[in-house]
Amino acid sequence: MAFLRPFCSSVLFLLLSVTQVETQSAECSVNERLVEIMENNNPGLVVTNIHANPGIIVTIKSSTEASSPSEWFEIKDSQLILKKSVDFEEIKLLQPELICWKAGLQIENIKVLILIQNENDNGPVFKQTNITVDVPEDTKVNTTVVPLTSVTATDADLNPVYYSLEGSQEAMDYFNIQGINNPQIYLRKALDYEAINFMRFTLRAMDGNAGAAGTHTATATISIQIVQSDLKPPWFQPCTAVGGSKVCISLGYTSKVNLSEEASGPLILEPGPLYAIDGDKSLNEKVIYEIVAGNDNDTFKINRDSGNITMTQPANILKTFMLYIVAFQENNAFRYSQTTVKIDVVRKNDHRPYFNETNYLGRVSEAQPAKSLIMKANTSSEPLQIFAADDDFLPDKINPDIRYRIQNSSDFRVTAEGFIQITKLLNVSSPITLLAIATDINTLEEANTLVSIDVTPLATPTPTVPPVTTATFTETSTTNLGKGTTSQKPSILPPGISSPKPSGSTKSTSPLSSTTGKDNLTDITRNPVTVSVSSSVIPPFVTTLKPPVIPGNSTQFLTTNSPVTERSQRTVESIKTSSPTTTQAPPQSGASKPTPPGNFATTGGSVQSST
C-alpha cells in the first residue's frame, strides 16, 4: 500500500494544478494550491506565497474542522504560515481556505491542499511485551504453541515488519518462528520435562534491515513452561538410567532367610528396601505392588502399598526363590515396571568365619614353575595352609561353604583346602604381603588375614673340586694306538665320581653338590667339555642319559640308568668349565702312551664313554 501513496499524490496534484490554472484570478492567487510537507515539521513553516493586487486583503477562513483548523495557520508578509508541527499518524491532510477581499467584498476563494508526508519515526509495537505460555510435554512436533495474533507487532508508519527469535542454543533446538514475516512460534522437536522444563526467548520486530540507519526495533519476552505429562512408568529404586535418562532399569534385589524359620517383619533386602517412584516426578502418582511369579507355595507376600515383603510360612528346603515384582500406577495400570527379588534359603548362622592367625609366614624360591606350593617359612617340606574356622560347625569348625581368594595379587591363588600356589614364574626376589579372604558363599560373611611370603633368590654356583677317590681296574680298549696293537689304559672319572666296578653299579665316595638347579653342564659353561679321566675305567657301552631337573638349593643325589647296561650312573652338575679342555692321564708304567682324546666326555651334566 505504501507504494500507491506517491502515485495518488501525483495524480491529485495534476488535477488540482489544472483547476488552479482555470480558477485563480490575476488579482488574488497563490503559488501552489497543492503542497506536500514532511511530518514533524518545524513550527512556522511557509506553506505557499500569496499574490494580491493593491487594495486586496487576504484572510484565512475560520474553521473548526479537524482537517482545516484555522488556528494552525497565519498570513505573514504575503506568506501562508503553518504554525504547528504535524504528525502523520494523527493527521494526513490539511485544507486551509483563503478569502480575497476588495472594498469589503469577497472576490476570490482559494483552497490550499496540504498533503502530510510520512517519515519512519515510529517503531513496531507489540500488543504484549511479556508473554507466558504453558506447553504440555506430549505436544506433537510442528504444533503452533504461540499464535500469530499474540506476537504480531504493528507499525504506525505502515512499514513492513521483520521478526527474529533469540534464545539459548538448547532452547532454539525446541522452538522457533515460522518465518521473518510470520512470528508465530512452533515446536521443532519432542519435549522432555526431565531434560528441560522452562525456556525464555526474545522476539524482535524491526521496520527495516537490522543495523540499517533509521531502523526501529521492538522486543517481546516469550516464556515457555513445559507441563509434565504422564509418560513414564514407576521406577524401582535404586535404578540405572539408560537412553539419556529416559528409562531407569532396576538390577533387582536380594535377601536371605534361615532354613525352617519364618522371619518376623519385613525382609531386609539389598541394596535397599523395595520401592518405586513415579517416573514423572512432578506428577508423583501412587504406586501399587504385586508378586506375579516365583512365589512357590505362597511362601511370601507383599504389601501392595508399601512394597514390604514378609513370610507366610517357613521354607523347609535349601533353595532360591526368584520373585517377580510389578509396580504400576494406581490411576493407570498401563504405566508399570517390573523387577526381581532373589531370596536364598540358608542354614542359620550365628557365627562369622575367622582366621586363628593374623599373619601367615611362607617362603618360595624365584623361578619356580606355576602351581608350585608356598612352603612354611620355618620348614622346607611342609606347605603353607591357611584356615578359616567357623564355630557354627563343631567340633572341627570346618565350614564346607568357605571359599578362599587372594584379593591384592593375581600371581597367587588359594585352593579349596587353603594351600597357596603361584600362578606364574616369580622373577624378582622380594618379600610379598598378600591379603587372603575367606567367604561363606551362603551367608556372604567374610574374614581376612595377611600372608607374608619371602621370595628367595636362587643360589649362585661356586665350583669346588672335592677329593677324588679312585678304584683302578682294567678295561680293554679297541682303540688303535699303533700298528696292530691294543692297549689297556687307566681312566679317571671327574672329581667326585668313583670308578665303577665292571660288574656292578658305580658308587661315589664323595657327595656331589648341586646349587644351580641347571639340567646340564653345558647350561653352566655354555661350551662343551671333554675330560680325560685316569685311575679308573668306564665299562664299555655305558652312557648316561640327561638327568631330571634338580630343584634349586637341592643337595640330593640323582642317578640315571643306562639304556644298554641298566647300570646306574651318577649325574654331575657341579662341574663348571670355561672352555673345552683335554686332560692327559699320567703314564702308569713303561713307555708313555697318550690317552686318545674323547675317551670320556661330560655333556649335559653326565659322564659318557666314547670307546
Side-chain angles (χ1 to χ4, degrees):
M1 294 296 293
F3 77 93
L4 294 176
R5 289 202 306 271
F7 176 77
C8 295
S9 298
S10 300
V11 173
L12 182 60
F13 180 80
L14 291 175
L15 293 175
L16 290 175
S17 297
V18 173
T19 304
Q20 175 182 345
V21 172
E22 292 178 350
T23 59
Q24 286 194 104
S25 68
E27 292 183 303
C28 184
S29 63
V30 294
N31 284 351
E32 297 174 341
R33 296 186 69 176
L34 177 61
V35 180
E36 291 184 356
I37 65 172
M38 296 299 296
E39 68 171 327
N40 303 320
N41 61 286
N42 293 325
L45 175 68
V46 176
V47 177
T48 187
N49 293 320
I50 303 173
H51 300 282
N53 290 339
I56 295 179
I57 299 173
V58 180
T59 62
I60 300 172
K61 183 180 180 180
S62 177
S63 174
T64 58
E65 294 181 8
S67 62
S68 304
S70 57
E71 69 271 12
W72 284 25
F73 298 92
E74 67 179 352
I75 297 174
K76 187 177 180 180
D77 298 332
S78 299
Q79 292 179 326
L80 179 62
I81 306 298
L82 179 59
K83 298 189 295 183
K84 291 183 175 292
S85 178
V86 182
D87 187 359
F88 174 84
E89 285 71 43
E90 295 178 359
I91 188 168
K92 297 175 176 57
L93 177 68
L94 292 173
Q95 194 173 8
E97 186 175 352
L98 301 179
I99 301 175
C100 298
W101 300 88
K102 183 178 181 180
L105 298 175
Q106 179 177 336
I107 63 172
E108 188 71 43
N109 191 322
I110 304 173
K111 289 185 178 182
V112 179
L113 186 62
I114 304 173
L115 299 177
I116 312 302
Q117 298 296 312
N118 184 33
E119 67 177 2
N120 189 16
D121 61 341
N122 295 283
V125 176
F126 285 104
K127 292 180 181 179
Q128 301 179 62
T129 57
N130 287 284
I131 302 173
T132 300
V133 294
D134 293 336
V135 179
E137 182 184 11
D138 57 355
T139 300
K140 293 183 179 180
V141 174
N142 294 324
T143 299
T144 297
V145 296
V146 183
L148 187 64
T149 55
S150 299
V151 288
T152 299
T154 58
D155 190 312
D157 297 322
L158 303 181
N159 291 317
V161 179
Y162 306 97
Y163 299 91
S164 65
L165 188 67
E166 300 174 359
S168 68
Q169 181 60 52
E170 185 179 22
M172 295 302 297
D173 289 340
Y174 286 96
F175 296 97
N176 208 339
I177 59 175
Q178 292 285 1
I180 60 173
N181 299 118
N182 185 353
Q184 68 181 3
I185 300 174
Y186 74 102
L187 179 63
R188 300 180 62 190
K189 77 172 188 177
L191 296 169
D192 184 354
Y193 180 87
E194 300 297 334
I196 183 171
N197 51 49
F198 179 80
M199 285 164 269
R200 178 168 288 161
F201 303 88
T202 298
L203 179 63
R204 296 187 183 276
M206 297 171 288
D207 58 4
N209 294 328
T215 298
H216 299 88
T217 302
T219 60
T221 300
I222 312 296
S223 299
I224 298 179
Q225 296 177 339
I226 310 303
V227 179
Q228 189 165 31
S229 301
D230 189 7
L231 300 176
K232 300 181 178 68
W235 290 346
F236 285 98
Q237 301 297 306
C239 61
T240 301
V242 296
S245 299
K246 297 182 183 299
V247 180
C248 207
I249 303 298
S250 170
L251 301 181
Y253 302 83
T254 60
S255 184
K256 58 185 178 181
V257 296
N258 290 331
L259 181 67
S260 301
E261 286 188 8
E262 181 178 341
S264 60
L267 301 184
I268 298 175
L269 306 180
E270 293 292 340
L274 184 145
Y275 77 102
I277 61 174
D278 188 354
D280 302 307
K281 296 180 182 178
S282 67
L283 300 180
N284 196 27
E285 298 291 348
K286 183 178 180 180
V287 178
I288 303 300
Y289 305 90
E290 284 187 7
I291 300 176
V292 295
N295 191 15
D296 298 344
N297 300 322
D298 293 330
T299 306
F300 303 94
K301 68 178 180 179
I302 190 170
N303 186 298
R304 69 188 309 268
D305 296 319
S306 67
N308 288 333
I309 298 176
T310 56
M311 297 188 71
T312 61
Q313 58 183 319
N316 295 318
I317 59 174
L318 293 173
K319 63 174 295 184
T320 296
F321 289 86
M322 185 64 74
L323 306 182
Y324 291 88
I325 311 296
V326 169
F328 56 89
Q329 291 178 194
E330 186 178 40
N331 67 335
N332 185 358
F334 291 102
R335 297 286 183 262
Y336 71 92
S337 61
Q338 64 182 27
T339 189
T340 59
V341 179
K342 177 185 176 183
I343 303 175
D344 292 319
V345 181
V346 299
R347 297 183 181 89
K348 185 175 182 180
N349 181 66
D350 294 326
H351 301 89
R352 299 175 60 87
Y354 62 92
F355 286 97
N356 286 323
E357 298 186 29
T358 58
N359 192 3
Y360 290 83
L361 302 179
R363 68 176 184 84
V364 68
S365 296
E366 64 175 334
Q368 290 295 310
K371 297 186 180 181
S372 295
L373 293 175
I374 304 300
M375 310 303 288
K376 283 187 176 181
N378 56 357
T379 178
S380 62
S381 60
E382 185 178 353
L384 178 65
Q385 184 181 21
I386 62 176
F387 174 67
D390 191 333
D391 291 340
D392 289 319
F393 295 84
L394 298 176
D396 54 14
K397 302 184 179 181
I398 299 176
N399 182 347
D401 297 323
I402 291 290
R403 300 293 183 269
Y404 299 98
R405 60 187 171 89
I406 299 297
Q407 179 169 292
N408 61 330
S409 176
S410 61
D411 296 344
F412 301 84
R413 64 177 294 271
V414 187
T415 67
E417 296 79 14
F419 295 106
I420 302 177
Q421 295 177 316
I422 60 176
T423 60
K424 67 177 185 179
L425 293 177
L426 304 176
N427 297 320
V428 179
S429 58
S430 64
I432 298 176
T433 300
L434 305 177
L435 179 62
I437 306 293
T439 304
D440 187 327
I441 60 174
N442 278 331
T443 65
L444 303 181
E445 294 176 329
E446 292 185 347
N448 61 75
T449 187
L450 297 178
V451 180
S452 298
I453 299 175
D454 186 17
V455 182
T456 59
L458 293 175
T460 302
T462 302
T464 58
V465 181
V468 178
T469 302
T470 63
T472 304
F473 61 93
T474 301
E475 176 194 9
T476 300
S477 174
T478 61
T479 303
N480 188 4
L481 299 180
K483 183 178 180 181
T485 62
T486 60
S487 68
Q488 293 181 348
K489 65 178 182 297
S491 65
I492 302 176
L493 288 175
I497 308 276
S498 63
S499 300
K501 295 181 180 180
S503 59
S505 62
T506 304
K507 191 171 185 180
S508 174
T509 59
S510 61
L512 292 176
S513 174
S514 174
T515 60
T516 65
K518 300 293 184 179
D519 290 344
N520 56 64
L521 193 59
T522 302
D523 287 342
I524 302 175
T525 65
R526 305 300 179 187
N527 294 293
V529 179
T530 302
V531 181
S532 297
V533 184
S534 61
S535 301
S536 64
V537 178
I538 299 295
F541 310 113
V542 177
T543 61
T544 60
L545 300 178
K546 181 178 179 180
V549 176
I550 303 176
N553 299 329
S554 173
T555 58
Q556 299 177 3
F557 295 114
L558 301 179
T559 62
T560 58
N561 293 328
S562 166
V564 178
T565 63
E566 299 295 331
R567 297 189 179 185
S568 174
Q569 303 295 319
R570 190 177 304 275
T571 61
V572 180
E573 290 197 16
S574 62
I575 301 175
K576 180 177 182 183
T577 309
S578 61
S579 63
T581 59
T582 301
T583 304
Q584 299 293 337
Q588 300 298 314
S589 62
S592 175
K593 294 183 180 180
T595 303
N599 280 351
F600 303 99
T602 61
T603 60
S606 62
V607 179
Q608 297 182 351
S609 172
S610 58
T611 55

